[in-house]
Amino acid sequence: MIPLADAQAAVLAPVEPLPPVRVALADAHGLVLAEEVVAPEPVPPFANTAVDGYAVRASDTASAPVRLRVVGELPAGAAPGRAVGAGEAIRIMTGAPVPPGADAVVMVEVTDAHGDEVVVHESVAPGANVRDAGGDLEAGARVFGPGTVLTPAHVGVLASLDRHEVVCHPRPRVGVLSTGDELVERGPLAPGKIRDSNRPMLRAVLAEAGCEVADYGIAPDDEHEIERRIARAVDECDLLLTSGAVSVGDYDYVKVVLERLAARRPGSGHRWVQVAIKPAKPLAFAHVGRVPVIGLPGNPVSSRVAFELFARPVLRRLAGHGDAGVLPVPVRAVARSGFRRRPDGKLHLDRVRVSVEGGRLVCERAGVQASNVLSGMAAANGLALVPDGEGVDAGDEVEVLLLGPPA
Ligand code: AMP
Ligand code: MG
């Protein structure tokens, strides 16, 4: 058995970020930028008012209260027209350009309108309530650099700069393939059959992770059929996830096939390891040419756990995330009840329900803790990392990989 960190390092070693492509800004959310973005123009493009009120000469308000003549109106979107002269004001709405002659804006709340005059009750300093041109971004400023993960705010900034395409690492295209003679897609079950739950689960978690999914269906336990599908998938995808057929059963063909495909393509590699974790101990991974293939265990909980520990980091590396953003980062939570276990040389990943109590994260085991019981996984929103030994006492802290928001 090898430690989890070693297994993760080995899986990631041959994986490189996907070559950058041009992506429509509308599709870029969540992607990793691969270019330097420079502001071609200032943001905001012109000095404008931060409040509704009156554009004035600040010096005119020095002896407030003062009465000024209202000589015009500027709603947002209007081009500045007439200048503000001495003793004058222009009614102005948030976002409208500050007209020439004015150097401050008086909030409407400290004024009283009287026909074509306004009484200003408080004096303002020059620049008050004015948002300068380029106050957010100056023309020529370096805005975002390679490696930036594009959040909704980044998308908004890019739109404000008239960028409708950006150079990013693309969303990985990920193939999913289930194996097993016992698996059916849907409908009534003949004796000995079960429905495929891994592939729908993996499709869902991949969609959630912002990947493109390519579905290679259910392959029977037939070496040639498994080979045919894997060979096609590695030609069409950036990563392939198979499930099942990686342990030591008589019909476990995935490793045989990966070994053969890897031997045929230069630059390939493969490795079968036992990882010192429970669940998801057996792990098969290969890269056929440049395309990583992860053979997830068949048991659905193991499959889901192995996805989190091995497949997601590969996806994040492919998607261009920096080293700090590749491996999952645990949070610390207080164990509400004890996590008892026996020493076995393995790190246990217990399915837990994480919640917030008094501003702190607490967790407790959720559902049945068996690698075939997927409803236990469904009851959980985290995986507690229970180190080898006797376990964790109630009230102690335990590290948890969050799979969703605390409940
Ligand atoms: P295997 O690794 O192929 O020996 O499968 C281990 C266990 O996981 C067996 O009980 C399989 O029936 C089950 N299993 C494998 N693949 C799936 C799947 N896609 N959906 C649900 N159960 C599966
Ligand atoms: Mg099988």
Side-chain angles (χ1 to χ4, degrees):
M1 287 197 301
I2 65 171
L4 174 60
D6 293 359
Q8 287 171 320
V11 171
L12 283 167
V15 182
E16 283 179 21
L18 297 173
V21 294
R22 297 193 78 78
V23 180
L25 183 63
D27 298 327
H29 171 220
L31 299 186
V32 178
L33 193 65
E35 65 166 321
E36 196 81 50
V37 174
V38 172
E41 58 190 35
V43 177
F46 50 85
N48 66 95
T49 171
V51 297
D52 294 325
Y54 293 86
V56 298
R57 298 179 170 215
S59 55
D60 280 353
T61 67
S63 54
V66 293
R67 190 176 277 265
L68 303 174
R69 207 150 31 84
V70 180
V71 295
E73 190 183 70
L74 269 176
R82 158 187 212 300
V84 174
E88 293 180 347
I90 286 182
R91 177 87 173 104
I92 192 169
M93 314 306 160
T94 303
V98 174
D103 62 357
V105 178
V106 180
M107 289 171 75
V108 71
E109 288 86 345
V110 298
T111 66
D112 278 312
H114 298 285
D116 59 0
E117 290 189 334
V118 62
V119 177
V120 175
H121 294 288
E122 288 178 15
S123 65
V124 284
N129 300 317
V130 175
R131 303 188 286 209
D132 290 331
D136 182 345
L137 298 170
E138 304 237 33
R142 180 185 173 280
V143 183
F144 307 130
T148 305
V149 182
L150 297 177
T151 67
H154 291 94
V155 171
V157 170
L158 290 162
S160 76
L161 296 171
D162 201 28
R163 289 295 304 266
H164 303 292
E165 280 191 336
V166 278
V167 179
C168 288
H169 298 281
R171 282 177 208 290
R173 180 177 167 82
V174 184
V176 288
L177 170 68
S178 290
T179 67
D181 279 343
E182 72 278 33
L183 301 177
V184 297
E185 181 88 38
R186 58 167 66 203
L189 295 173
K193 305 291 184 185
I194 59 170
R195 296 183 195 98
D196 178 4
S197 49
N198 287 348
R199 205 161 39 92
M201 171 174 70
L202 292 170
R203 291 184 58 129
V205 73
L206 287 166
E208 201 177 63
C211 300
E212 237 187 84
V213 181
D215 196 335
Y216 294 91
I218 301 169
D221 288 315
D222 173 279
E223 197 175 319
H224 296 293
E225 184 56 22
I226 290 176
E227 177 165 346
R228 200 181 66 76
R229 296 202 200 198
I230 293 183
R232 204 181 114 210
V234 294
D235 283 340
E236 296 174 347
C237 298
D238 302 313
L239 166 68
L240 172 64
L241 303 177
T242 66
S243 79
V246 290
S247 43
V248 288
D250 286 348
Y251 301 98
D252 289 341
Y253 295 122
V254 165
K255 291 190 288 193
V256 183
V257 164
L258 285 177
E259 200 168 333
R260 191 156 55 228
L261 291 175
R264 264 192 231 140
R265 275 195 214 184
S268 301
H270 66 88
R271 224 175 133 186
W272 324 140
V273 292
Q274 302 290 312
V275 189
I277 55 174
K278 183 184 172 185
K281 183 171 72 144
L283 177 71
F285 61 95
H287 54 110
V288 179
R290 303 189 63 79
V291 178
V293 181
I294 302 184
L296 301 170
N299 274 313
V301 173
S302 308
S303 225
R304 179 70 184 88
V305 169
F307 177 91
E308 237 22 73
L309 299 179
F310 305 110
R312 196 188 290 280
V314 168
L315 283 173
R316 293 180 66 80
R317 166 77 50 84
L318 289 171
H321 290 270
D323 285 345
V326 166
L327 289 175
V329 179
V331 297
R332 299 189 74 81
V334 176
R336 189 198 298 277
S337 42
F339 287 77
R340 293 280 118 238
R341 53 160 292 178
R342 298 243 165 276
D344 59 5
K346 296 181 207 160
L347 171 74
H348 287 195
L349 294 110
D350 286 10
R351 274 67 75 202
V352 293
R353 190 93 203 135
V354 184
S355 52
V356 181
E357 263 181 39
R360 290 205 305 176
L361 293 178
V362 298
C363 67
E364 61 188 335
R365 279 189 179 132
V368 175
Q369 304 282 320
S371 63
N372 59 321
V373 181
L374 195 50
S375 61
M377 189 85 235
N381 58 358
L383 297 170
L385 305 176
V386 186
D388 192 23
E390 301 289 343
V392 172
D393 290 329
D396 282 357
E397 278 197 335
V398 62
E399 290 196 317
V400 178
L401 297 179
L402 287 176
L403 301 174

